[in-house]
Amino acid sequence: MLSKSVVAVSFLIILLYGNLFIEVEGIGVNWGSQASHPLPPATVVRLLRENGIQKVKLFEADSQILRALSRSGIQVMVGIPNDLLAPIAGSVAVAERWVSQNVSAHVSSNGVDIRYVAVGNEPFLKAFNGTFEGITLPALQNIQSALIKAGLASQVKVTVPLNADVYENASNLPSDGDFRAEIRDLMISIIKFLSDNQAPFTINIYPFISLYNDPHFPVEFAFFDGTDSPVNDNGRIYDNVLDANYDTLVWSLQKNGFGNMSIIVGEVGWPTDGDKNANMQYARRYNQGFMNRQKAGRGTPMRPGPMDAYLFSLIDEDAKSIQPGNFERHWGIFYIDGQPKYQLSLGNGNGLVPAKGVRHMAKKWCVLAPSANLQDPQLGPSVSYACDHADCTSLGYGSSCGNLNLAQNVSYAFNSYYQVSDQLDSACKFPGLSVITTNDPSVGSCKFKIMIKSDSSGGEASARMTRSVAVLLLLSVCLYIVL
């Protein structure tokens, strides 16, 4: 008969491993805030909880969002933007102040379950041309020192979310992987520092980007339904690019002495608009395929078991930079108003639950006036102005509104500006070109959106938009004089 002490120890082991399994299995999401009309943080936290989302990754330490997460039971990774790396790298005092304001205060007073501080966001991306290479490790070290001083180092771990371009291979075999030659020494130093502090390696993996960048990339290899041409790496079979990419990282770590390092997939997902391969069908296929394998406990050939991962992303961000591509504003599994884009089960057997209590503006739209002349010389500059100050990314080739005719394109642009301007009458005064209508101008699957009411609606936003309209009118006068 087992002694009480053995039974107790066994119970603790089961409890420990059970909690570990739950923590890894629970899906996380990225919660970005680059929206013209963000939902109230309390609404989003309710959305997270009602959809069973257990972890959230923030790109910056927004105090209102962190307060809303108070005692929510949701684990938090809070981010430090790249533009803060330099001051934090240059001063321990700055790092200590950041930790005090953005971690300690919320953990102690507000009961926010902060588990990680993400130092930077893909700082070694090739497009940055080495801008952050000299300051990321010092910033990481200073934040760690600040967490130690605050007595939080055992609870809150540091990490650096990195793009998958930090490693490469000379073939298509994961076992040939290693870190990029020009940053290899830096990567090893960062990995050693993370390992010494029991902190994870965080990587962002985007099969969509593989398809976007390479027109010859095999489409089926981007998803989880199998492929006619799997990759055979010495008996390890890869039928999708996520597994192959992830294991390229595993091999890179292993070759450099860190084969047991824990890995977080900081961003994984698929956009729904802004490119011919960014659509509802592909997004649902990818995200549901990923969730199905998570639920089944499937990992990669090198790392069996579900991944510790954060879907990218929770809600669309209509003010996000589109420098990488128009798809950047369409990664959400929810629209900007918190409505689900498609049916997706996050592992609880149910579909997505929409946000509650979201209010929309009136059902009216700004469109091209029936009397407008499509040859009007002010038409082009007006459309350009509207799209520069709103979101017209759905108008591109292969996008949801890519088949509109000229008049419909103009109407879409005008309405986008009108809605982001809180439906101000002055935002639909493109001279001789625009008119407000109560008839929905949507065309098929191309929806002319109505903006939500949010904290950004009203006085300050209206004043800002009124100034923008004044600039537009002045531009129109100048064009008239020139012509």
Side-chain angles (χ1 to χ4, degrees), residues 100-432:
S100 175
Q101 294 174 353
N102 300 301
V103 181
S104 301
H106 295 286
V107 169
S108 60
S109 302
N110 298 330
V112 181
D113 188 8
I114 298 176
R115 298 294 182 96
Y116 302 103
V117 173
V119 182
N121 184 40
E122 299 186 340
F124 306 147
L125 196 67
K126 289 180 181 178
F128 292 147
N129 296 316
T131 302
F132 305 107
E133 289 178 11
I135 56 178
T136 299
L137 179 55
L140 185 70
Q141 292 168 330
N142 285 348
I143 290 294
Q144 176 66 21
S145 296
L147 289 170
I148 291 172
K149 184 174 181 178
L152 294 171
S154 61
Q155 173 184 342
V156 182
K157 298 299 181 180
V158 291
T159 189
V160 181
L162 295 164
N163 187 276
D165 73 350
V166 297
Y167 47 85
E168 58 191 3
N169 58 31
S171 69
N172 64 344
L173 301 180
S175 59
D176 285 338
D178 204 348
F179 296 106
R180 273 179 17 220
E182 69 271 23
I183 59 169
R184 185 178 177 278
D185 291 344
L186 174 59
M187 285 298 304
I188 299 307
S189 297
I190 288 177
I191 292 165
K192 184 178 186 307
F193 184 81
L194 293 173
S195 178
D196 289 345
N197 289 283
Q198 297 80 51
F201 189 106
T202 300
I203 193 68
N204 300 338
I205 303 176
Y206 286 111
F208 168 79
I209 300 297
S210 299
L211 193 58
Y212 179 76
N213 288 333
D214 182 3
H216 302 294
F217 187 87
V219 174
E220 296 304 309
F221 198 56
F223 299 96
F224 305 105
D225 310 311
T227 175
D228 293 334
S229 303
V231 173
N232 187 331
D233 188 358
N234 296 314
R236 288 175 290 271
I237 306 301
Y238 294 90
D239 61 5
N240 69 86
V241 68
L242 176 68
D243 285 357
N245 195 308
Y246 186 97
D247 277 1
T248 302
L249 169 60
V250 174
W251 276 105
S252 301
L253 291 168
Q254 186 168 301
K255 287 178 182 178
N256 291 284
F258 300 95
N260 294 322
M261 189 165 196
S262 61
I263 298 173
I264 292 175
V265 178
E267 298 177 19
V268 62
W270 200 282
T272 56
D273 209 349
D275 181 71
K276 64 179 182 178
N277 291 311
N279 54 61
M280 298 290 184
Q281 294 74 25
Y282 276 7
R284 185 187 183 281
R285 180 182 176 188
Y286 185 83
N287 285 330
Q288 192 61 69
F290 180 77
M291 289 309 307
N292 289 346
R293 51 182 276 140
Q294 286 287 98
K295 185 177 180 180
R298 178 187 167 191
T300 72
M302 291 292 289
R303 290 278 183 99
M307 296 178 180
D308 189 356
Y310 294 77
L311 288 178
F312 189 85
S313 66
L314 181 64
I315 301 172
D316 279 351
E317 298 173 81
D318 66 340
K320 194 175 181 184
S321 169
I322 57 172
Q323 185 175 2
N326 287 343
F327 55 83
E328 281 295 334
R329 294 178 177 174
H330 303 279
W331 287 97
I333 57 177
F334 292 92
Y335 288 110
I336 193 172
D337 61 356
Q339 294 300 305
K341 293 182 178 180
Y342 47 85
Q343 283 302 310
L344 178 68
S345 172
L346 296 180
N348 55 9
N350 302 316
L352 296 175
V353 179
K356 305 284 197 307
V358 179
R359 297 181 301 150
H360 290 79
M361 294 183 183
K363 289 186 177 181
K364 55 183 182 177
W365 298 262
C366 178
V367 297
L368 182 70
S371 59
N373 181 0
L374 290 176
Q375 304 303 317
D376 191 318
Q378 296 187 43
L379 187 69
S382 296
V383 170
S384 294
Y385 183 88
C387 289
D388 285 345
H389 293 80
D391 179 26
C392 295
T393 53
S394 295
L395 292 175
Y397 169 73
S399 300
S400 63
C401 299
N403 294 322
L404 300 184
N405 62 33
L406 177 57
Q408 292 164 341
N409 266 275
V410 174
S411 290
Y412 188 96
F414 286 176
N415 183 65
S416 294
Y417 179 73
Y418 177 65
Q419 300 298 336
V420 83
S421 304
D422 300 330
Q423 294 188 351
L424 289 174
D425 288 345
S426 56
C428 191
K429 292 190 180 297
F430 297 91

Side-chain angles (χ1 to χ4, degrees), residues 1-46:
M1 185 173 180
L2 294 175
S3 67
K4 291 182 179 179
S5 60
V6 171
V7 171
V9 170
S10 300
F11 174 77
L12 286 173
I13 291 173
I14 292 171
L15 183 63
L16 172 63
Y17 278 92
N19 287 338
L20 180 63
F21 176 73
I22 291 171
E23 180 177 330
V24 171
E25 182 186 56
I27 192 64
V29 295
N30 286 265
W31 177 358
S33 57
Q34 296 182 53
S36 64
H37 291 65
L39 291 172
T43 300
V44 179
V45 171
R46 182 179 179 183

